Amino acid sequence: MAVGREDVEILKPRIDKREYRRIVLRNSLQVLLISDPDTDKCAASMNVGVGSFCDPVGLDGLAHFLEHMLFYASEKYPLEDSYSKYITEHGGSRNAFTDYEMTNYFFDVNTDCFEEALDRFAQFFIKPLMSADATMREIKAVDSENKKNLLSDAWRMNQLQKHLSLESHPFHKFSTGNWDTLDVRPKAKGVDTRQELLKFYEDKYSANLMHLVVYSKESLDKIQCLVEDKFQEIRNSDRSHFQFPGQPCTSEHLQILVRAVPVKQGHKLRIVWPITPSILHYKEGPCKYLGHLIGHKGEGSLFYVLKKLGWATGLFAGEGVCTSEFSFFKVVIGLTDAGQDRMQDVIGLLFRYIQLLQESGVCKWIFDELSAICETGFHYKDKISPMYHVLNISSNMQIYPEKDWLVGSSLPSDFNPTTIQKILNELSLETVRIFWESKKFEGLTDKVEPWYGTAYSIEKVSPSTIQAWMSSAPNENLHLPAPNVFIPTDLSIKNAQEKIKLPVLLRKSSYSKLWYKPDTVFFTPKAYVKINFDCPHASNSPETELLTDLFIRLLMDYLNEYAYYARVAGLRYHLKCTDSGFQVTLVGYNHKLRILLETIVDKIGKFEVKPDRFSVIKEMAIKDYQNWKFQQPYEQAKDYFSLILEDQSWPWTEQLAVLPCLNAEDLAKFAPIMLSRAFLECYIAGNIVHEEAVSMIHHIEDVFFKGSNPICQPLFPSQNLRNRVVKLGTGMNYCYSKEGLNPSDENSALVHYIQVHRDDFKLNVKLQLVALIAEQAAFHQLRSVEQLGYITLLRLRNDSGIHGLQFIIQSTVKDPGHIDTRVEAFLKMFESKLYEMTKDDFKSNVNALINTKLEKHKNLSEESQFYWTEIISGTPKFDRREAEVEALKKLTQQELIYFFDENIKVGATRKKTLSVRVYGNQHLAEYNSQKSEAVQPNTVQIDDIFSLRRSRPLYASVR
């Protein structure tokens, strides 16, 4: 029974119809119940007030390791991985993460099996099983996870900042853990890691340190009964809340300039200050206020000035690491080569802007504007998946009072200039930590961070030195932002004249198509606009595709200072390249959306190349292409895979070869050619009436297609070409092997793909059902049992309407050729599982897939993305989900087995397989030896991707 039920009024968004109730169980477990009769998924999240700061000395990563181990088994459900299996097979997903002061476990599942899923979840906190065998295997998984991160600059720089702190403070620790910290070192000291794991769990996991959120379609009373039944047996040892007083940085760690060598090309400054945690003043929002101003990108801002000087490529400002005892405020600035050479001026201008804030005083109008934006954002917040909703709330429960569990720190409402001034004063010359990253420091450093191997050097930088930088920096016109004209003032809901359930083709001309879907579901003052420019000249060679990329980058660059105000006010925009042109997307409040849309259209229509900005954008693009080789090996494998299968795709190496030769004049000549022939596919949805939608498209057509000298002409019929997919040979296995691009990376990767069919409802659901049944079995066998690698995935794949199944595995322990044989072995094992499946299990899996398909869209963006996928693929089958549900209802078990035997089974006569293998530095011997091996029957070793593409037929386009 619950010993406490407090009817505290929890602040929730105006449009949130869900019911909330806080209860406390007799074991002191605090619970928030959420009733949503309309939900398609139930979810739960348990937040435990134990994180990596609790790791025992000499066992770095133990809290993270426990997070891995809890998922394995419990006394009530002893079968290993049965929790994950149950969740996956009933339409759900699960995950967990370990933070400094908390660990969070969460899942979602179809509504009809929530009770058992919740019981399985609860048992991890009551009587988990952590067998010796599973413990040893999962240490390997933690080690594999860590190896995945070793060449990530984000992880490396984060650990370097931790390394340069007080050794006695838990912030200094290595929180991920690896084979060394969890096996080698403990064994050397006679320490049994499993016993320490059990002891850690027993000593630290206590119900009074836990916060649970449960989300269901049942009434609050029913959910309460369910929670009381499942969770009251969690042991309460009345453990005191863990506290870690003291600051991680002493004077030794302040006033420092650290030069560090990153993995990737590029230069970056991270300027960090220890500050008072904003959690202590979350309603006054001091870091939101300061981050808003220092991180602003409008005219007069720090970024605006640095960009105008050609020194910066990006800037972020705000609170970084934040705990209950300490926090850091950080400013991260991406530098150009010129900015790298003017680092002192960049730092000087940053402190000059901070000085401007000191001189201007804390401005009430800026706080009020920010508060109004946050308030509108909270009250009209899009509904998200139940799983992420409960995750956000359970994390907040450890930090905030009950009434603010939903809102957290997202709604600054109390204007307190003293508090803001206090944090501003803490951004001082005396407490700064400057981390400067560049490949230019290679060979010039004298220290190495122990966990990731980052080379660095450190020196002291005095306040007087930075003051000198401030004095010598160029005299630029830094000033506060102007009032935001994009803040919506009309939030009224427009009545759709007709209740349109699916998108309709509202208008069609030789210039464009307009698909329209008014909001008849969500009733928020928001809209979604997508304009696809189909331009045949945009991507018919590596060079034109690259020029289109530069065109889009420059457009985004030109729009930045103006459209940034719209982004701040909740109106987002994005431009991106496609395989046949480019797309413009706008999402957010509809009130001022048209103003932004017309500005973007005008910028496209009047595009001109500014040589100074072209130089910066080209420099950024070169670095991006050069950094391609530092992708994770499994991402490299996926790139090769796309290059093999997609007819209109070009290798990044060819684009990188072309890029240095291009100049501003090349782009200036190309842009009008690219736009000279175009067709616009448009989708407008949300709080917009159809007359407005038609008017928008009329305006766009007028800009591009009308007048005496139009920018665009309609496409010729011959120009309606589409990307098509290579058809693999029936009964054939294709294999492409490549050495990893980064010689320092020890990870290898495999993408094992089975090509099955062209888009067809009946075939789609058969493949989807096979994937649903196989997904968790593959994870359990290949990841949990065989420990091939932390990244072990089984996924469906859809390339321009051609459907298939793919295994993605990244490993340091086995080479890709060996992993390929283990995938085949798994498929043989799975064959037996499929044949022996009971009728009840078959029906259960079918129902799980049906429930997933019938899941309602949660917000306008999600709905629009679904319909847009249908439109742009050329189908457009807006009733796809309902049609596939009908196909599922008619599907028999024998039909599924026949489908598997024909297309997926090892040795199936119609099977078409492609294996892409990327070999890391641990497996180069295997890479060289496999090249001399005899080719197996029905196997094609791909030596030249383009020869293969030329030799194979293509699937017909679904468009």
Side-chain angles (χ1 to χ4, degrees):
M1 295 292 291
V3 296
R5 171 179 161 186
E6 294 183 18
D7 292 323
V8 176
E9 185 176 355
I10 296 172
L11 180 63
K12 68 176 189 176
R14 293 187 194 108
I15 62 173
D16 189 348
K17 303 291 192 294
R18 295 168 289 206
E19 292 183 305
Y20 296 84
R21 177 187 294 170
R22 173 190 181 263
I23 63 171
V24 182
L25 302 188
R26 66 187 183 194
N27 59 358
S28 297
L29 174 65
Q30 291 196 62
V31 187
L32 183 67
L33 314 174
I34 307 175
S35 173
D36 179 4
D38 297 326
T39 191
D40 304 296
K41 282 276 199 292
C42 294
S45 173
M46 178 73 87
N47 194 82
V48 185
V50 178
S52 62
F53 278 6
C54 290
D55 284 346
V57 175
L59 276 167
D60 284 18
L62 194 67
H64 177 221
F65 180 43
L66 175 59
E67 171 226 301
H68 276 238
M69 287 302 302
L70 270 197
F71 276 160
Y72 260 81
S74 63
E75 284 192 13
K76 185 172 180 180
Y77 300 100
L79 187 64
E80 195 174 283
D81 266 351
S82 60
Y83 161 73
S84 300
K85 178 176 182 291
Y86 186 86
I87 296 293
T88 303
E89 290 182 353
H90 292 88
S93 54
R94 78 285 176 275
N95 213 330
F97 67 85
T98 305
D99 208 333
Y100 293 125
E101 296 184 305
M102 63 178 70
T103 304
N104 199 296
Y105 305 83
F106 50 97
F107 77 93
D108 68 1
V109 76
N110 290 336
T111 57
D112 58 351
C113 47
F114 184 50
E115 183 169 352
E116 182 174 337
L118 197 65
D119 190 50
R120 289 173 177 272
F121 183 71
Q123 291 304 312
F124 296 139
F125 307 100
I126 298 171
K127 287 190 176 177
L129 285 182
M130 293 180 260
S131 70
D133 178 54
T135 300
M136 289 308 296
R137 280 187 279 118
E138 202 56 27
I139 290 175
K140 293 177 183 176
V142 170
D143 188 61
S144 176
E145 181 179 357
N146 178 62
K147 283 177 175 171
K148 169 183 71 72
N149 301 330
L150 287 178
L151 296 176
S152 161
D153 284 326
W155 283 89
R156 292 163 71 87
M157 296 307 159
N158 178 54
Q159 190 63 42
L160 180 58
Q161 290 179 55
K162 293 168 66 175
H163 180 65
L164 297 175
S165 67
L166 202 59
E167 273 193 54
S168 59
H169 195 283
F171 179 68
H172 183 84
K173 292 179 179 178
F174 169 56
S175 55
T176 305
N178 60 18
W179 185 257
D180 194 41
T181 66
L182 295 171
D183 185 75
V184 177
R185 294 189 189 189
K187 276 181 180 172
K189 296 177 183 176
V191 173
D192 185 324
T193 299
R194 179 171 175 267
Q195 290 304 315
E196 291 299 317
L197 185 74
L198 296 171
K199 179 181 169 185
F200 186 88
Y201 175 82
E202 289 295 320
D203 180 48
K204 300 201 165 37
Y205 272 45
S206 173
N208 72 303
L209 299 183
M210 299 180 183
H211 294 90
L212 173 69
V213 184
V214 177
Y215 189 116
S216 171
K217 69 184 306 164
E218 304 294 343
S219 68
L220 288 174
D221 289 339
K222 283 189 177 180
I223 306 172
Q224 180 168 336
C225 290
L226 184 64
V227 168
E228 288 169 354
D229 177 52
K230 305 297 182 191
F231 290 91
Q232 63 186 356
E233 296 306 316
I234 297 176
R235 179 177 51 87
N236 178 23
S237 54
D238 210 21
R239 193 74 169 77
S240 298
H241 289 265
F242 293 99
Q243 293 183 316
F244 306 94
Q247 294 297 309
C249 295
T250 64
S251 57
E252 176 191 348
H253 310 108
L254 305 176
Q255 297 180 29
I256 57 171
L257 172 61
V258 180
R259 291 176 173 84
V261 181
V263 171
K264 292 186 175 182
Q265 295 290 339
H267 323 288
K268 194 168 285 185
L269 276 171
R270 300 175 196 264
I271 304 96
V272 184
W273 297 265
I275 60 165
T276 304
S278 67
I279 289 170
L280 305 177
H281 306 285
Y282 69 95
K283 287 195 173 182
E284 293 146 323
C287 287
K288 274 200 186 307
Y289 177 92
L290 294 171
H292 170 66
L293 292 176
I294 299 172
H296 209 280
K297 295 181 173 64
E299 188 177 342
S301 67
L302 173 63
F303 178 70
Y304 175 84
V305 165
L306 293 174
K307 178 185 156 186
K308 188 179 74 169
L309 291 165
W311 295 350
T313 62
L315 188 149
F316 165 83
E319 196 169 19
V321 174
C322 181
T323 75
S324 54
E325 297 286 343
F326 71 91
S327 181
F328 292 102
F329 189 93
K330 65 179 180 180
V331 177
V332 183
I333 306 172
L335 299 175
T336 62
D337 290 345
Q340 167 75 6
D341 295 336
R342 304 294 293 268
M343 180 277 289
Q344 296 177 2
D345 287 337
V346 173
I347 297 288
L349 285 167
L350 166 61
F351 276 98
R352 191 135 2 121
Y353 193 84
I354 292 170
Q355 185 179 55
L356 168 71
L357 297 183
Q358 291 278 12
E359 292 167 355
S360 303
V362 179
C363 298
K364 188 173 189 304
W365 77 264
I366 293 177
F367 182 89
D368 289 345
E369 184 180 89
L370 185 61
S371 179
I373 290 169
C374 291
E375 184 175 10
T376 303
F378 175 69
H379 285 296
Y380 293 99
K381 184 179 179 183
D382 284 343
K383 198 172 184 180
I384 59 174
S385 74
M387 184 170 76
Y388 289 108
H389 191 56
V390 298
L391 164 62
N392 293 339
I393 297 171
S394 66
S395 301
N396 281 348
M397 288 169 74
Q398 181 170 321
I399 301 168
Y400 303 104
E402 292 92 332
K403 63 184 173 58
D404 292 323
W405 279 352
L406 269 65
V407 69
S409 62
S410 67
L411 194 55
S413 54
D414 298 348
F415 179 62
N416 189 330
T418 305
T419 300
I420 295 172
Q421 188 64 49
K422 176 179 177 350
I423 304 299
L424 178 58
N425 292 341
E426 291 175 350
L427 308 185
S428 72
L429 304 172
E430 288 74 24
T431 59
V432 73
R433 290 156 55 90
I434 302 170
F435 294 82
W436 187 12
E437 306 160 32
S438 176
K439 282 280 198 183
K440 289 189 173 182
F441 300 141
E442 279 182 327
L444 303 175
T445 59
D446 59 354
K447 292 179 174 57
V448 177
E449 188 280 317
W451 297 111
Y452 290 81
T454 304
Y456 74 98
S457 62
I458 183 171
E459 65 183 74
K460 279 288 188 178
V461 56
S462 67
S464 60
T465 298
I466 298 178
Q467 282 173 338
W469 296 350
M470 291 170 67
S471 300
S472 63
N475 190 20
E476 295 291 331
N477 183 25
L478 293 165
H479 60 80
L480 297 178
N484 193 332
V485 297
F486 280 102
I487 295 175
T489 53
D490 180 0
L491 298 168
S492 60
I493 305 301
K494 299 173 183 180
N495 292 320
Q497 292 167 340
E498 54 267 286
K499 298 295 180 184
I500 300 172
K501 290 187 176 180
L502 298 173
V504 294
L505 184 57
L506 198 59
R507 183 176 177 275
K508 183 179 179 181
S509 72
S510 60
Y511 312 128
S512 71
K513 276 185 189 175
L514 169 58
W515 297 89
Y516 171 67
K517 167 73 171 64
D519 179 11
T520 56
V521 179
F522 309 108
F523 304 107
T524 58
K526 297 181 180 181
Y528 185 102
V529 174
K530 182 87 82 171
I531 315 289
N532 187 76
F533 286 75
D534 192 350
C535 304
H537 299 305
S539 55
N540 54 17
S541 71
E543 187 170 9
T544 57
E545 189 170 272
L546 183 57
L547 286 164
T548 305
D549 179 27
L550 294 173
F551 171 80
I552 292 300
R553 288 175 186 246
L554 267 176
L555 271 175
M556 292 287 284
D557 185 73
Y558 296 162
L559 285 162
N560 192 54
E561 45 266 14
Y562 172 77
Y564 180 75
Y565 283 94
R567 193 181 293 272
V568 169
L571 179 53
R572 304 189 311 278
Y573 72 100
H574 186 62
L575 287 81
K576 74 166 191 175
C577 295
T578 66
D579 59 12
S580 60
F582 63 96
Q583 271 176 19
V584 177
T585 308
L586 292 90
V587 189
Y589 302 113
N590 58 274
H591 183 205
K592 309 284 179 75
L593 182 144
R594 180 157 183 170
I595 300 170
L596 180 60
L597 176 62
E598 291 185 0
T599 302
I600 294 171
V601 166
D602 185 63
K603 286 284 186 187
I604 297 170
K606 295 177 180 175
F607 180 79
E608 60 181 46
V609 181
K610 299 174 184 175
D612 59 331
R613 294 312 301 161
F614 177 85
S615 297
V616 171
I617 295 300
K618 176 181 170 181
E619 179 192 313
M620 291 169 63
I622 288 173
K623 289 188 174 76
D624 287 344
Y625 280 97
Q626 288 173 335
N627 285 331
W628 212 289
K629 66 182 179 183
F630 298 115
Q631 289 187 108
Q632 294 273 357
Y634 80 92
E635 293 172 326
Q636 295 176 33
K638 286 164 65 178
D639 283 340
Y640 290 128
F641 175 90
S642 297
L643 198 58
I644 291 167
L645 284 190
E646 294 174 9
D647 181 47
Q648 291 292 313
S649 58
W650 318 104
W652 66 272
T653 48
E654 291 181 1
Q655 292 171 324
L656 180 56
V658 169
L659 185 48
C661 307
L662 295 178
N663 56 42
E665 189 179 339
D666 293 320
L667 182 56
K669 289 177 182 176
F670 168 75
I673 295 171
M674 178 190 69
L675 292 171
S676 65
R677 293 281 171 186
F679 184 80
L680 278 52
E681 190 100 42
C682 311
Y683 177 74
I684 298 180
N687 195 38
I688 289 181
V689 297
H690 77 267
E691 292 89 354
E692 289 178 283
V694 170
S695 174
M696 284 183 191
I697 303 309
H698 269 306
H699 173 78
I700 295 172
E701 285 189 355
D702 287 346
V703 170
F704 292 108
F705 295 96
K706 303 297 170 69
S708 58
N709 187 24
I711 297 165
C712 305
Q713 297 284 345
L715 296 186
F716 291 116
S718 61
Q719 291 180 301
N720 282 295
L721 300 176
R722 293 289 166 250
N723 196 5
R724 294 169 63 191
V725 175
V726 168
K727 192 172 189 177
L728 300 176
T730 302
M732 299 299 292
N733 303 310
Y734 297 83
C735 182
Y736 182 69
S737 300
K738 199 76 175 169
E739 193 175 331
L741 295 169
N742 181 3
S744 301
D745 200 332
E746 58 188 49
N747 290 283
S748 293
L750 168 76
V751 172
H752 178 105
Y753 168 74
I754 303 166
Q755 192 178 68
V756 183
H757 66 275
R758 194 165 172 266
D759 192 47
D760 175 275
F761 291 154
K762 290 181 181 179
L763 295 175
N764 292 352
V765 298
K766 290 174 185 177
L767 185 62
Q768 291 161 10
L769 193 56
V770 168
L772 174 68
I773 299 167
E775 181 184 350
Q776 182 53 36
F779 183 87
H780 173 71
Q781 181 61 35
L782 301 174
R783 157 76 155 71
S784 300
V785 176
E786 299 187 30
Q787 285 295 328
L788 294 178
Y790 177 75
I791 295 174
T792 300
L793 304 169
L794 171 59
R795 292 287 184 266
L796 294 164
R797 186 175 176 107
N798 179 356
D799 297 277
S800 301
I802 309 306
H803 296 259
L805 197 65
Q806 65 179 0
F807 293 81
I808 301 171
I809 301 173
Q810 182 164 294
S811 179
T812 56
V813 295
K814 297 294 181 183
D815 72 274
H818 175 86
I819 297 170
D820 224 345
T821 64
R822 299 315 304 154
V823 170
E824 294 274 295
F826 164 75
L827 286 171
K828 288 179 181 175
M829 186 189 307
F830 178 71
E831 182 183 321
S832 302
K833 173 185 171 69
L834 196 62
Y835 294 167
E836 295 162 9
M837 185 189 302
T838 65
K839 289 181 180 178
D840 285 345
D841 281 345
F842 173 76
K843 187 177 179 181
S844 174
N845 281 299
V846 168
N847 288 337
L849 188 52
I850 287 173
N851 287 339
T852 299
K853 287 188 174 299
L854 293 178
E855 194 175 329
K856 294 184 285 288
H857 299 298
K858 285 169 282 297
N859 54 61
L860 178 65
S861 290
E862 189 179 293
E863 178 192 78
S864 297
Q865 285 159 16
F866 174 81
Y867 291 135
W868 177 253
T869 300
E870 291 296 323
I871 291 166
I872 204 62
S873 66
T875 354
K877 300 167 183 172
F878 299 129
D879 62 345
R880 173 179 296 275
R881 299 192 304 176
E882 293 77 10
E884 289 185 345
V885 164
E886 289 307 308
L888 271 170
K889 288 177 179 177
K890 296 172 184 174
L891 180 65
T892 67
Q893 190 168 351
Q894 193 53 47
E895 286 175 324
L896 184 69
I897 290 171
Y898 180 76
F899 171 82
F900 177 84
D901 287 348
E902 285 279 293
N903 299 285
I904 299 169
K905 177 180 175 178
V906 175
T909 54
R910 291 178 53 188
K911 188 173 181 181
K912 296 170 285 188
T913 303
L914 169 62
S915 290
V916 179
R917 304 170 179 177
V918 172
Y919 288 77
N921 65 22
Q922 298 277 73
H923 303 123
L924 294 183
E926 290 88 343
Y927 170 67
N928 290 316
S929 66
Q930 63 91 30
K931 288 193 289 188
S932 58
E933 291 173 3
V935 177
Q936 297 297 311
N938 299 323
T939 299
V940 175
Q941 291 285 354
I942 303 172
D943 297 316
D944 182 343
I945 288 175
F946 306 104
S947 293
L948 177 83
R949 278 196 349 200
R950 287 191 294 270
S951 69
R952 294 300 311 158
L954 303 175
Y955 278 99
S957 170
V958 296
R959 292 196 70 148

